Amino acid sequence: MGRAAVIGCGDISIVHFEAIGAISDVTLVAVCDLDPALAKAAGDRWGVPAYTDHRALLELEQVDVVHVCTPHDQHAQVAIDCLRAGVAVLTEKPLAATVVEAERVVAAAAEHPQVKIGVCFQNRYNATVEAIRDAIDRGAGTLIGGHATVMWHRTPAYYAARRWRGRMASSGGGVLINQAIHTLDLLQWLLGDVVSVGAQVSGGRIGPGIDVEDTATLILDHATGARSVFVATNANVVDSPVALEIDTERASFFVRDDLTIRHVDGRIEKVAERRVETAGRGYWGVSHQRLIADFYARLDEPEPFWISPGEATKSLRIIAAAYEASGFGRPGR
Ligand SMILES: NC(=O)c1ccc[n+]([C@@H]2O[C@H](COP(=O)([O-])OP(=O)(O)OC[C@H]3O[C@@H](n4cnc5c(N)ncnc54)[C@H](O)[C@@H]3O)[C@@H](O)[C@H]2O)c1
């Protein structure tokens, strides 16, 4: 079904290598990392040629799908080069470091409609989230609102280990774009497109040399009329489980590990989240493999992949609006 290559052989790449290996008719054929030592280590580990330039890989290897696992500011150009080469792209979140770059990818995808492109918002494949989406689609009544919290712990060492993570220029942001974007994406996917954003965004809690935000509170108005509140921080003392509540006319859906549905008639239902064994970290979620397998399963379908560049730009627009509303990043703020 496919010949795969992975570009960017850092932390998250292991999840992609693992997922590729789990699909019977997909074969890894090449890897690439700007760092020659990392590229060689991955090439040796998986027994495939290693490159330090993705354009050389695209030129010399016959590849059907490229997995983009680079830092945020390296997503857009790599994805665009793949689309132009006629190679399908599955890129890690966020689609790009900025809305402007994301729009370049959206335009390139529109120019190459025959080439598939998808974005890794794997939490949309969680059993709990699928159950909420399904209930809304089947008719859970008017959407009222909701809230979500992402209270995580990131140390100075986490930022020091990969300088790009703490720098606005390379990451495009902090907790919002790097960690909480998954949950922000879920809020907008479940409650509807966001039409206005109120926000307080701040940094400085984790250590010196980090110019991205570590904490944010957002109030979101959705086109459906729903309103939600979103709180995210990387300055918590532990990685708390993400909490997500979606309220409709007929029920309240609350996820914290598993899903509890409280119906207005008093019934209570539970939906258990899947438990999977993975080399990835627990807080990355349980559904990477499901998303990646689904991307390959849909490769030959004529329709665009459902988590498309346009869809993935929505959360980036919310984040940009939050910076705008709070003034974060402006001189003097
Ligand atoms: N979906 C998730 O839950 C999840 C979880 C963790 C990370 N991520 C995302 O995965 C991406 C990578 O994160 P990470 O923590 O693995 O970072 P990392 O720094 O550990 O790895 C990135 C690698 O890309 C390489 N690289 C940089 N520019 C490149 C280029 N132009 N061509 C080839 N290689 C290049 C770097 O040398 C590095 O080895 C980020 O977008 C991050 O947000 C997603």
Side-chain angles (χ1 to χ4, degrees):
M1 182 165 61
R3 295 163 60 87
V6 173
I7 300 187
C9 300
D11 282 352
I12 197 65
S13 65
I14 186 71
V15 174
H16 288 257
F17 289 128
E18 190 180 62
I20 290 166
I23 310 172
S24 57
D25 41 7
V26 175
T27 313
L28 182 74
V29 296
V31 295
C32 172
D33 197 290
L34 278 186
D35 179 334
L38 277 180
K40 183 176 179 324
D44 291 350
R45 164 80 177 81
W46 301 104
V48 295
Y51 292 80
T52 52
D53 175 354
H54 70 276
R55 289 183 174 137
L57 183 155
L58 289 171
E59 211 175 292
L60 295 172
E61 299 289 336
Q62 206 197 320
V63 179
D64 300 310
V65 178
V66 155
H67 296 239
V68 181
C69 299
T70 58
H72 302 171
D73 63 335
Q74 302 294 307
H75 288 185
Q77 193 56 52
V78 175
I80 291 168
D81 289 340
C82 293
L83 290 168
R84 288 182 180 152
V87 174
V89 185
L90 185 56
T91 180
E92 266 302 342
K93 50 47 70 170
L95 175 61
T98 65
V99 170
V100 171
E101 287 176 23
E103 284 170 345
R104 287 181 59 223
V105 183
V106 171
E111 279 167 29
H112 302 280
Q114 74 289 1
V115 189
K116 273 275 191 314
I117 174 164
V119 184
C120 282
F121 279 122
Q122 73 273 6
N123 291 326
R124 290 193 185 196
Y125 286 77
N126 292 357
T128 50
V129 172
E130 285 179 332
I132 302 175
R133 181 72 253 179
D134 190 46
I136 292 171
D137 290 344
R138 281 188 290 109
T142 304
L143 294 163
I144 294 170
H147 66 81
T149 57
V150 179
M151 307 293 291
W152 282 0
H153 173 68
R154 293 292 177 276
T155 59
Y158 166 84
Y159 289 98
R162 306 281 193 277
R163 293 280 173 203
W164 66 265
R165 290 175 179 153
R167 298 201 172 129
M168 196 57 113
S170 43
S171 63
V175 66
L176 284 171
I177 200 168
N178 202 349
Q179 283 78 29
I181 194 168
H182 288 290
T183 313
L184 211 45
D185 173 65
L186 294 182
L187 270 183
Q188 71 81 26
W189 183 49
L190 296 168
L191 288 175
D193 287 353
V194 168
V195 291
S196 90
V197 177
Q200 286 192 331
V201 180
S202 58
R205 290 174 185 78
I206 295 179
I210 299 168
D211 72 3
V212 296
E213 85 285 356
D214 54 50
T215 302
T217 305
L218 275 56
I219 298 175
L220 307 174
D221 282 315
H222 301 259
T224 51
R227 172 168 273 207
S228 62
V229 178
F230 182 71
V231 179
T233 187
N234 270 348
N236 198 17
V237 289
V238 292
D239 285 321
S240 286
V242 169
L244 170 70
E245 175 162 333
I246 301 292
D247 298 306
T248 78
E249 216 175 18
R250 303 211 183 105
S252 165
F253 300 83
F254 182 69
V255 181
R256 195 175 171 100
D257 296 323
D258 298 326
L259 167 65
T260 303
I261 309 172
R262 290 184 175 80
H263 297 272
V264 286
D265 61 12
R267 280 177 302 124
I268 295 180
E269 280 179 82
K270 302 264 185 193
V271 176
E273 191 47 81
R274 297 179 189 92
R275 305 304 190 241
V276 295
E277 289 295 319
T278 169
R281 295 183 192 134
Y283 53 73
W284 288 346
V286 295
S287 302
H288 250 113
Q289 292 213 0
R290 296 191 72 226
L291 182 151
I292 294 169
D294 192 40
F295 184 79
Y296 279 95
R298 294 168 186 251
L299 212 47
D300 294 329
E301 289 178 358
E303 301 81 28
F305 187 65
W306 69 292
I307 311 178
S308 63
E311 192 61 22
T313 303
K314 292 178 179 178
S315 43
L316 286 177
R317 287 192 201 286
I318 299 170
I319 293 168
Y323 289 143
E324 184 60 32
S326 67
F328 184 78
R330 278 194 216 131
R333 295 299 292 260

